[in-house]
Amino acid sequence: MVAFLWLVWYQATTRVTPKHWALAVTYELNERAFATMYQIIGDGSGMGQFAPNVARRVLLMGTQGPHSYEGKLLLGEIFDNIIGALEMYSESAVDIVNTNNRRRGIGDSNCQDWVLIIVRSLEDAHWLPKGTLGRVERCPRVG
């Protein structure tokens, strides 16, 4: 079965803070579709460490926790076997982000880096069209 992978971003808390990015999977192109959201959230330690989070049956254009929806970008069509691997990619990418934060400093890497790692991996595996990473890199990042 074919699904659709989206980058979704949410309003930043201030004009100088990063927007929250998440990946969403839907089975419809409809903007009112329900999605499975993949994201990372702070682990509560205040040390710049994150944990993967999966939320099911979330409105594609809905609020995510404290974050108000702002925009989205369709990344491409994906198949069910890729969706199954998405949680594994998510966990690996959060490990990379957390390791980078431990080495370089608190908050140096965030949800946007996590998305970029996953999209790069999916594009390198030819599961997303060539050029997808470049499109993601041009999406709004700050306030």
Side-chain angles (χ1 to χ4, degrees), residues 74-111:
L74 178 62
L75 302 180
E77 294 181 359
I78 58 174
F79 296 98
D80 282 339
N81 62 328
I82 300 167
I83 295 169
L86 202 50
E87 283 191 48
M88 180 187 67
Y89 275 72
S90 173
E91 291 172 7
S92 296
V94 80
D95 287 342
I96 294 168
V97 167
N98 286 339
T99 299
N100 186 58
N101 282 345
R102 280 191 293 274
R103 272 195 222 132
R104 291 191 175 168
I106 297 171
D108 191 48
S109 292
N110 60 29
C111 58

Side-chain angles (χ1 to χ4, degrees), residues 104-120:
R104 291 191 175 168
I106 297 171
D108 191 48
S109 292
N110 60 29
C111 58
Q112 296 169 5
D113 299 302
W114 173 84
V115 166
L116 293 169
I117 292 166
I118 294 172
V119 170
R120 180 180 291 115

Side-chain angles (χ1 to χ4, degrees), residues 7 20 23 37 39-40 43-44 62 85 98 105 107 109 116-117 119 123 129-130 134:
L7 166 63
H20 179 64
L23 294 172
M37 291 293 212
Q39 63 184 342
I40 58 174
D43 70 357
N98 286 339
S109 292
L116 293 169
I117 292 166
V119 170
E123 187 176 321
K130 188 168 182 66

Side-chain angles (χ1 to χ4, degrees), residues 11-22:
Q11 292 177 349
T13 53
T14 70
R15 291 173 23 159
V16 295
T17 55
K19 296 178 183 297
H20 179 64
W21 283 12

Side-chain angles (χ1 to χ4, degrees), residues 22-72:
L23 294 172
V25 175
T26 65
Y27 286 97
E28 304 172 26
L29 278 174
N30 182 339
E31 292 186 343
R32 296 188 188 281
F34 283 94
T36 299
M37 291 293 212
Y38 298 86
Q39 63 184 342
I40 58 174
I41 56 174
D43 70 357
S45 69
M47 302 300 292
Q49 298 297 289
F50 297 94
N53 176 269
V54 179
R56 299 188 194 316
R57 295 211 33 89
V58 175
L59 283 173
L60 178 61
M61 294 175 51
T63 299
Q64 270 298 83
H67 306 284
S68 299
Y69 170 84
E70 188 172 289
K72 66 183 178 338

Side-chain angles (χ1 to χ4, degrees), residues 2-16:
V2 174
F4 304 96
L5 182 65
W6 305 82
L7 166 63
V8 183
W9 58 91
Y10 300 87
Q11 292 177 349
T13 53
T14 70
R15 291 173 23 159
V16 295

